[in-house]
Amino acid sequence: MAADRGDAALEVLFLPFATGALAWPRAGDVPFLRARDGWPLREAARPGLICEQSFRPEADALARSGWRVRDAEAVDAESGDDAASHPLVLLLPPRQRDEARALFARAVASCAPGGVVVACMPNDEGAKSGEADLKALAGLSGSLSKHHCRVFWATVDASSTDAARLAEWSTLDAPRPILDGRFVSRPGVFAWDRIDAASALLAAHLPDDLHGRAADLGCGYGYLSVELLRRCPGIVSLDLYEAEARALALAKRNLDAFAARLPLGFHWHDVATGLPQRYDVIVTNPPFHAQGRAERPDIGRAFIAAAADALHPGGRLWLVANRHLPYEQVLDARFRTVRTVAQANGFKIIEAVNA
């Protein structure tokens, strides 16, 4: 899902450089946190740019375009990668405010004295709050608006940085126990502080006779995988697929108790591109949004197609989805039998058996 001319926030992020309000540094690495690919990156020379992205489709798009890409989960805080040495840090903050504040703190902490943090957000996704947060953390040097987005920046130095706030915000998205310690999660991950109602409904309807090699597509922090293994002793191995690296790292921790019982695989992977292995059982609560607010039922249909291709003959797909999502056509086309097991609270549970 590479950015294009419809990615207004990406375009407006570079507006201060296009207008001359800011100058691109002549030397030094320039981290771009939550980077997305698109024509604004290629509109002018961007020496030193390092793109950081934990969402696999966006990371793949950046890599295909030839940018240096690193996964945020692979950045070792002790390695010096985030030391206060960068002349410029770019940022497309997420909507979740604790996650965004933690990212602002990382950006400020990684700037050299006199370095600049530049961020951009759509107006309807928290631009006003984001601008206020950066101002409270490090002062504000300027801002511009265009295409219903706001780009804002701060010149970082000790006199304008709120050290106490910096320390506090640096830990706002740290992993922590949730649900009385049953799981570890963190802000910004889907349904991060609760059990998603759709996944809970699917778990409650999983039959205990599911057996063989299994996969969880879009595993999140691992709730559905835990329930599958708890309820179905016939599962002999489980692969977890997740496009968001921050969630996958949590799933590894949350499945640790099962590691001695059966083989587990953890895959930072865009399921929509297909699966590399074959399975007897697949469970999924497929996403129907990407990183924006618009509904994307095509993602769910791609998950279903990937499951059909990956299941052995007679293999079983157990799926939960919002009741209104139009998945029946692809299910009927790709599976031998399809049945609606339950409908409740706006969701539907479907079992589909492969030909």
Side-chain angles (χ1 to χ4, degrees), residues 156-173:
V156 177
D157 61 62
S159 64
S160 61
T161 299
D162 186 328
R165 198 184 304 268
L166 181 67
E168 177 189 352
W169 286 9
S170 294
T171 62
L172 284 180
D173 76 335

Side-chain angles (χ1 to χ4, degrees), residues 91-105 108 117-140 142-143 150-154 165 169:
L91 171 60
L92 292 173
R95 290 195 304 270
Q96 210 286 336
R97 197 167 190 184
D98 283 348
E99 182 190 3
R101 283 177 164 177
L103 217 53
F104 280 131
V108 169
V117 173
V118 185
C120 185
M121 302 175 74
N123 292 338
D124 62 357
E125 294 187 13
K128 185 176 180 180
S129 296
E131 183 178 26
D133 282 345
L134 183 60
K135 181 178 181 179
L137 183 63
L140 201 66
S143 66
R150 179 173 291 271
V151 57
F152 44 94
W153 60 94
R165 198 184 304 268
W169 286 9

Side-chain angles (χ1 to χ4, degrees), residues 10-230:
L10 180 63
E11 178 180 352
V12 176
L13 178 69
F14 291 95
L15 185 61
F17 304 98
T19 63
L22 292 173
W24 194 269
R26 296 181 178 179
D29 288 339
V30 177
F32 181 6
L33 311 184
R34 296 293 192 275
R36 296 196 293 265
D37 187 34
W39 67 266
L41 273 68
R42 296 180 286 276
E43 192 177 29
R46 311 289 184 200
L49 190 69
I50 302 175
C51 297
E52 181 177 300
Q53 177 56 257
S54 59
F55 186 58
R56 189 60 188 260
E58 297 286 7
D60 287 347
L62 288 159
R64 285 193 299 268
S65 291
W67 299 106
R68 295 165 63 192
V69 183
R70 69 181 185 185
D71 166 22
E73 291 303 303
V75 176
D76 182 351
E78 301 300 322
S79 70
D81 284 346
D82 278 344
S85 60
H86 302 301
L88 174 66
V89 180
L90 305 175
L91 171 60
L92 292 173
R95 290 195 304 270
Q96 210 286 336
R97 197 167 190 184
D98 283 348
E99 182 190 3
R101 283 177 164 177
L103 217 53
F104 280 131
R106 263 196 63 202
V108 169
S110 67
C111 263
V116 181
V117 173
V118 185
C120 185
M121 302 175 74
N123 292 338
D124 62 357
E125 294 187 13
K128 185 176 180 180
S129 296
E131 183 178 26
D133 282 345
L134 183 60
K135 181 178 181 179
L137 183 63
L140 201 66
S141 302
S143 66
L144 294 168
S145 294
K146 190 176 182 180
H147 299 325
H148 306 290
C149 296
R150 179 173 291 271
V151 57
F152 44 94
W153 60 94
T155 302
V156 177
D157 61 62
S159 64
S160 61
T161 299
D162 186 328
R165 198 184 304 268
L166 181 67
E168 177 189 352
W169 286 9
S170 294
T171 62
L172 284 180
D173 76 335
R176 80 283 307 268
I178 62 167
L179 302 170
D180 298 321
R182 289 177 57 196
F183 297 95
V184 174
S185 189
R186 66 192 301 186
V189 170
F190 173 69
W192 80 270
D193 59 350
R194 63 192 186 279
I195 295 172
D196 171 62
S199 294
L201 186 66
L202 177 56
H205 285 85
L206 290 175
D208 60 11
D209 66 344
L210 295 175
H211 63 278
R213 299 187 66 235
D216 180 355
L217 310 186
C219 67
Y221 65 72
Y223 164 77
L224 192 54
S225 287
V226 168
E227 290 299 300
L228 176 68
L229 296 182
R230 189 174 70 83

